[in-house]
Amino acid sequence: MKNLLKGKHGPLLIAEIGGNHEGDFEYAKRLCQLAIDTDVDLVKFQIYTGDTLVSRLESPTRNQHFKKFELSKEQHLELAKMVTDAGLMYTSSVWDLEAMKWIDPYIPIYKIGSGDLTAYPVLRETAALGKPMIISTGLSTEVEVLEAVSFIQNCNPIYKDPSMLAVLQCTSMYPINPGDAHLSVMQSFKEKTGLCVGYSDHTEGAKALYYAVAMGAEVLEFHFTDEREGKSFRDHKVSLMPNEVKELIQEIKLIQAYQGEGQKKPTQIELDNGHELSFRRAVYPNQDLKAGTILSAENLTVLRPNHGIDARHFDSLIGKRLLQDVQAHQKLEREMIDGWQSEANCPLCKSEVNNLVSVLKAKPEGETTYLPEGMAYYREIRHCAHCGVYFNAHNYDLFTEEFYSGEYNSAIEEGKLQARFERVINLPEGQSDNRLRVQRIIQYCELALPTALSSIRGLDVGSGTGVFPYELSKHIGQMNAVDPDGLSVKLMGNNLDIENIWHGSLKDVPAHEKFDLISFNKVLEHVQDPVQMLAQAKDYLKPGGAVYVELPFAEGIIKRGAQMERAEFFIEHYTTFPHDAFRYLLEEAGYQIQLQKDILEPSGKETIYGFAVIKE
């Protein structure tokens, strides 16, 4: 599903001709062609009559003003055809609701002006059309904006999707001073609504638009004219001319170049010049040391270049024993040191560069016992400096595919899988993670998938006891499941009335099987190569299909000051995800994220989830 609120230059650019034609149709056509030639995304007008907009008794002067600026139905249609024939999008603020009947075929995106934010009949009629909407917020308080958004979403739930509704910061005066622009409001709108945000400009010049882009504006609306000099109508003064629009587009490209990617990582130019090694330090002996020496803060130092053991592992080396003689300033290798296994690669991005976050020398309360009797418990929680994921580093070769094929459920439940299934499906409403999970999946499917719920074919990967596919099967056409554990497959066969239950992993699902939705519900943190598994799912998706991914949320624990001994960081999890690592996972696997959120579930688990489609 194409997101019409994304522009070809980055932010969606709207050239607002509005009333700058002042009722002169030939001038309106000239402005329209000039706007088309600037390569904006949308060319915008306003459709009204004086009597359908302003009371001729209460405000006769304003009524006459708008009468003078009226264009006919035929003239508006000709302007709309000019824009669409040129391959651009046409839109208008439709202030005469009767006009919606004849202009709607030409409007892919509706614009609600600031003056109509509280005109709920206008919002209701527009929302009923189900097309993307952009609302300006001049004159409004934050409460009024949030109330208007809520009203629109109650009229039509499709507007909960950020690709369907944009909220623009605006100040309804012509012109305004820089201090009246309040661009920071955009961030507040983003935090409070989760919707697309932008800026509708009434300053003189284009600087406010430049800064708005740098501050995250996804939609830019600006008035447009051919010439400001000699014009008496106020809007011309705050309008951009064709050359200024072209300069704006070039400035946006420059801003985007400066902004770069949102994920912090070494740039190619840094790597090409070897600066990640030459500028950074590693651990070195500060004196000659004999085999058998116990390493300490007194006999170690950190020096450039970063050859051997990264300086971030300094504390991990303290107390370890050297296995061979070394000279002062000699590069240290991991095989020189007895019992040190901290130089672990990130299971997500394979980077060796990571930070030690926590050391656990005893099994946390609640964690299942996996280690053989008599084996010492030791693991480290590390934070990858490249992709941002948190991961467990230890020496125990436990959690292999064979483990999940036969021992995992037995270890956790001691064979009591049926009792667990029954207990979970009978949880009261509001206490079930699975029912809330199903609710958000159904909401997404209704908004975003091209297939009706009754026809959706779903696959759940790693279904365990089968509670989730059991709940989801009540709402979609066909549900399927796959799990490596024979006990789980047998349990699902007894309890679930679904299409197919395969024994194995995703690769064991027949290649001809295709699905509208593939879910990975708390699965990918258990596998050694989550990118590879998620990428494999693309072969099983129908055109327009989506994946649902849910993982333990690291930032939720850390922000609450909770301990790393929580279930989200238990030993059976290779990885625990903050937002940046979640994005990395989906993007590296070849997906485009449609929605990404974190929640605290009724069970108390901190969770991050998202929906994604195959990247175009």
Side-chain angles (χ1 to χ4, degrees):
M1 183 174 64
K2 185 178 180 182
N3 183 354
L4 295 181
L5 296 182
K6 285 190 177 295
K8 53 180 172 283
H9 305 293
L12 189 77
L13 302 183
I14 306 171
E16 159 75 308
I17 293 172
N20 274 351
H21 53 74
E22 300 182 56
D24 182 336
F25 181 54
E26 291 303 316
Y27 187 31
K29 289 196 292 184
R30 169 175 163 73
L31 290 175
C32 187
Q33 187 58 54
L34 287 172
I36 289 169
D37 293 341
T38 64
D39 198 32
V40 293
D41 298 296
L42 281 151
V43 179
K44 180 178 175 297
F45 286 87
Q46 297 163 349
I47 298 177
Y48 52 77
T49 66
D51 286 345
T52 59
L53 184 62
V54 180
S55 167
R56 59 178 175 268
L57 296 180
E58 290 298 313
S59 189
T61 302
R62 294 285 289 162
N63 177 277
Q64 288 302 308
H65 164 82
F66 284 107
K67 278 184 176 292
K68 185 176 72 171
F69 281 31
E70 289 177 10
L71 295 176
S72 69
K73 170 184 173 181
E74 292 71 26
Q75 290 170 334
H76 278 295
L77 289 173
E78 185 172 339
L79 292 169
K81 290 174 183 176
M82 278 183 65
V83 176
T84 55
D85 288 349
L88 274 65
M89 289 189 287
Y90 165 89
T91 192
S92 178
S93 292
V94 185
W95 294 341
D96 178 0
L97 294 183
E98 286 297 310
M100 282 186 180
K101 298 174 183 176
W102 47 263
I103 199 63
D104 180 68
Y106 294 93
I107 296 185
I109 301 173
Y110 273 93
K111 170 67 199 303
I112 303 295
S114 294
D116 283 347
L117 187 78
T118 56
Y120 281 14
V122 175
L123 301 184
R124 182 185 295 111
E125 290 293 322
T126 309
L129 298 170
K131 292 184 176 181
M133 289 172 62
I134 299 170
I135 60 174
S136 280
T137 60
L139 311 172
S140 305
T141 65
E142 182 181 280
V143 170
E144 288 174 326
V145 173
L146 296 179
E147 287 176 345
V149 167
S150 179
F151 179 83
I152 291 167
Q153 292 173 337
N154 286 334
C155 290
N156 190 338
I158 198 171
Y159 293 107
K160 294 178 181 178
D161 186 336
S163 70
M164 293 298 294
L165 183 60
V167 184
L168 307 191
Q169 163 58 5
C170 180
T171 301
S172 295
M173 188 60 203
Y174 309 80
I176 63 171
N177 295 317
D180 291 321
H182 297 295
L183 297 177
S184 295
V185 170
M186 290 189 298
Q187 181 61 32
S188 177
F189 286 162
K190 174 65 78 173
E191 292 171 357
K192 297 289 175 61
T193 69
L195 297 171
C196 180
V197 298
Y199 174 61
S200 179
D201 187 35
H202 291 153
T203 63
E204 295 183 68
K207 281 191 175 182
L209 296 164
Y210 302 165
Y211 300 142
V213 173
M215 294 175 69
E218 299 162 276
V219 178
L220 292 180
E221 182 183 38
F222 47 85
H223 289 264
F224 180 81
T225 189
D226 60 340
E227 182 60 61
R228 288 188 289 266
E229 296 299 322
K231 302 291 179 68
S232 59
F233 179 48
R234 66 180 190 186
D235 286 13
H236 291 285
K237 192 172 186 180
V238 298
S239 298
L240 299 187
M241 296 188 295
N243 64 308
E244 293 171 320
V245 177
K246 293 176 182 177
E247 289 172 4
L248 171 63
I249 292 172
Q250 291 305 310
E251 195 71 22
I252 287 171
K253 292 178 181 177
L254 182 59
I255 291 168
Q256 290 170 335
Y258 280 127
Q259 287 175 326
E261 299 179 13
Q263 180 185 347
K264 177 60 181 169
K265 58 185 179 182
T267 63
Q268 196 58 48
I269 191 171
E270 290 173 318
L271 298 176
D272 289 344
N273 285 277
H275 289 171
E276 81 282 11
L277 298 177
S278 63
F279 282 23
R280 286 183 164 179
R281 302 191 192 206
V283 183
Y284 291 87
N286 61 16
Q287 55 193 273
D288 294 346
L289 299 174
K290 294 291 187 182
T293 300
I294 302 301
L295 298 176
S296 67
E298 286 70 35
N299 57 32
L300 295 176
T301 188
V302 290
L303 302 169
R304 296 183 184 185
N306 186 10
H307 291 170
I309 296 175
D310 189 282
R312 282 168 289 195
H313 301 315
F314 184 91
D315 291 345
S316 300
L317 292 174
I318 303 302
K320 299 296 188 295
R321 184 173 62 87
L322 271 176
L323 296 174
Q324 64 183 67
D325 295 351
V326 295
Q327 299 175 5
H329 289 209
Q330 180 180 342
K331 179 178 74 170
L332 294 176
E333 305 281 3
R334 67 182 74 181
E335 56 268 20
M336 297 176 176
I337 299 156
D338 185 26
W340 187 65
Q341 300 290 334
S342 297
E343 190 76 6
N345 289 357
C346 170
L348 184 59
C349 72
K350 314 310 177 189
S351 170
E352 290 190 2
V353 183
N354 53 76
N355 301 314
L356 178 65
V357 177
S358 183
V359 174
L360 286 85
K361 297 182 179 180
K363 182 180 75 68
E365 183 179 354
E367 183 180 278
T368 302
T369 301
Y370 296 110
L371 271 59
E373 188 175 350
M375 181 178 285
Y377 188 102
Y378 178 89
R379 66 182 169 99
E380 298 173 351
I381 297 173
R382 294 193 161 273
H383 183 211
C384 178
H386 179 239
C387 70
V389 79
Y390 291 80
F391 64 94
N392 273 311
H394 52 69
N395 294 332
Y396 313 125
D397 188 18
L398 293 172
F399 306 105
T400 62
E401 187 170 330
E402 290 73 22
F403 175 81
Y404 287 107
S405 299
E407 301 177 34
Y408 182 58
N409 279 325
S410 298
I412 293 175
E413 295 294 333
E414 298 178 354
K416 299 178 182 178
L417 296 182
Q418 180 66 36
R420 182 186 181 196
F421 174 83
E422 293 174 0
R423 176 179 60 80
V424 176
I425 65 169
N426 289 312
L427 285 171
E429 201 68 37
Q431 295 182 26
S432 169
D433 294 354
N434 283 286
R435 290 196 205 111
L436 293 177
R437 183 175 297 122
V438 167
Q439 286 177 20
R440 53 183 177 261
I441 288 175
I442 294 307
Q443 183 181 55
Y444 175 84
C445 291
E446 290 177 329
L447 289 173
L449 288 190
T451 307
L453 281 180
S454 59
S455 300
I456 286 176
R457 193 160 187 256
L459 171 67
D460 185 53
V461 180
S463 300
T465 56
V467 174
F468 172 63
Y470 169 82
E471 295 288 355
L472 189 56
S473 67
K474 300 175 184 177
H475 301 274
I476 66 174
Q478 295 177 329
M479 191 64 204
N480 303 266
V482 59
D483 195 273
D485 189 282
L487 292 174
S488 293
V489 171
K490 181 180 178 181
L491 177 71
M492 286 189 282
N494 294 335
N495 292 327
L496 276 60
D497 182 18
I498 60 178
E499 188 179 6
N500 295 295
I501 305 170
W502 289 286
H503 183 194
S505 61
L506 189 56
K507 70 179 186 296
D508 296 303
V509 177
H512 67 272
E513 299 283 354
K514 304 297 176 186
F515 306 94
D516 301 287
L517 178 76
I518 300 177
S519 53
F520 294 86
N521 168 30
K522 302 283 176 56
V523 169
L524 294 171
E525 69 270 31
H526 294 283
V527 301
Q528 291 173 308
D529 194 342
V531 172
Q532 187 273 335
M533 177 178 276
L534 192 55
Q536 191 177 32
K538 293 184 292 185
D539 296 335
Y540 293 92
L541 278 178
K542 292 181 182 180
V547 292
Y548 172 78
V549 177
E550 183 175 311
L551 292 160
F553 181 45
E555 283 172 319
I557 299 299
I558 295 165
K559 287 178 181 177
R560 292 203 285 130
Q563 299 299 310
M564 298 295 177
E565 290 85 353
R566 275 182 53 107
E568 289 85 347
F569 290 92
F570 276 0
I571 192 171
E572 66 266 28
H573 296 164
Y574 284 104
T575 45
T576 305
F577 287 75
H579 276 284
D580 54 355
F582 190 90
R583 285 191 297 271
Y584 181 92
L585 168 65
L586 271 295
E587 290 169 2
E588 283 296 302
Y591 293 91
Q592 181 176 326
I593 297 173
Q594 304 292 292
L595 177 68
Q596 177 177 326
K597 288 189 176 181
D598 59 81
I599 57 168
L600 177 64
E601 297 193 87
S603 63
K605 294 176 183 175
E606 291 281 356
T607 293
I608 185 168
Y609 71 87
F611 296 88
V613 297
I614 297 174
K615 191 180 298 179
E616 297 177 0

